[in-house]
Amino acid sequence: MRKLAPGTRLVVASHNPGKVWEIHQLIAPYRMAAVSARDLGLPEPEETETTFAGNARLKAVAAASASGLPALADDSGLEVAVLGGAPGIYSARWAGPKKDFSIAMARVKGEIEAAGGWDDKSPPRANFISVLCLAWPDGTAEIFEGRVDGHLVWPPRGGNGFGYDPMFVRDGATETFGEMQPAEKYAISHRTRAFQQFKSAMLDGIEPDAQAEGQGDIAGLAAAAANLSTRAELIRFVANLGEKVENDAGEGAAFAEALRRAAAWLGDDAAEDETRWRLVAKMLLAASGLAARRPDGA
Ligand code: IMP
């Protein structure tokens, strides 16, 4: 299998700046940079395939052949067994144009009831899945998949995470993904598993730059910052960032206090606009100084 080399510019075949940023954070220690399909002015192909792998491949191949650079695309979602794998590739679309996942979760609950009822004694089986595709300009491509199996709960619980997290409990756990700390979820998530497959196949033999301690927590915070969409998710993010700053060798007590004030302010005031929430999260992460401690400064 062809490997990626240090110095490679990798196109992230997504127009979602959060995703590009998250992938950049993951590959930067290997001295590679992520550039977005949008920055290169590449068109966003329509996701016309019927599987995660099909859509990831379609996006990666289109970006690699248009740019002449290797390209990475991802597709992820929630699959519910009794719904034949739905919402599946439509996971984001079930939340509607405002990306309101309380609507998407209520639809999952409603469709399970319509398909034979919801029985708390035998809760519906579900899994999260993340599929990555790395394509080369000549059209060859590799697929990497990560999944986490579990069941659904109703009502949703917990304000951490994003998307369908508050209604998903992985096997062997009792907390929902929405109740887990971001670093804890990130450590075992479908996305991390897919990235591990990608890393061991594509980055094998490249030594990462020495990483600062606590990178797991920072990766979890980075993933939350890249994916959050609502004010409630930002409030949890700010609180988690404050805890991380405060626990970090006693440094940053003044900043932790500033974050507590910011979280309180967010709780009382401010209008809803998901793109701005993501920007604010990233700004605070940068201001904390935690992300800048990496040797590459990413
Ligand atoms: P994508 O961005 O097109 O891959 O859409 C993925 C959708 O799947 C997201 O908008 C979420 O609804 C859902 N999803 C994927 N991963 C997760 C997760 O870790 N937690 C909760 N929902 C997820």
Side-chain angles (χ1 to χ4, degrees), residues 213 243-253 290 293:
E213 288 210 353
E243 270 172 42
K244 171 70 188 148
V245 169
E246 197 153 44
N247 295 339
D248 213 52
E251 283 177 33
L290 291 168
R293 275 202 222 146

Side-chain angles (χ1 to χ4, degrees), residues 19 74-77 91-92 101 128 162-165 185 190-191:
K19 238 172 226 181
D74 87 312
D75 211 21
S76 63
S91 295
F101 280 92
F128 277 121
F162 63 95
Y164 298 88
D165 281 344
K185 175 195 159 187
H190 48 300
R191 203 177 312 280

Side-chain angles (χ1 to χ4, degrees), residues 117-240:
W118 181 298
D119 177 5
D120 278 330
K121 288 198 201 81
S122 166
R125 298 289 304 160
N127 64 272
F128 277 121
I129 181 163
S130 166
V131 175
L132 290 170
C133 178
L134 192 270
W136 304 91
D138 66 6
T140 53
E142 303 288 345
I143 294 283
F144 309 96
E145 186 181 303
R147 61 183 275 161
V148 183
D149 290 287
H151 67 267
L152 301 179
V153 293
W154 196 264
R157 305 192 311 251
N160 284 337
F162 63 95
Y164 298 88
D165 281 344
M167 71 182 305
F168 180 81
V169 176
R170 76 182 166 102
D171 288 341
T174 51
E175 286 185 318
T176 66
F177 266 12
E179 291 171 314
M180 290 169 79
Q181 289 303 310
E184 223 185 311
K185 175 195 159 187
Y186 193 73
I188 49 91
S189 83
H190 48 300
R191 203 177 312 280
T192 302
R193 289 175 179 173
F195 276 119
Q196 276 160 352
Q197 304 273 334
F198 164 76
K199 281 209 258 187
S200 58
M202 288 292 149
L203 309 177
D204 182 31
I206 309 176
E207 275 302 307
D209 288 331
Q211 296 196 26
E213 288 210 353
Q215 280 304 305
D217 290 347
I218 296 168
L221 287 165
N227 289 293
L228 60 80
S229 308
T230 65
R231 172 148 63 128
E233 288 168 354
L234 178 63
I235 292 170
R236 275 310 302 165
F237 171 83
V238 172
N240 288 327

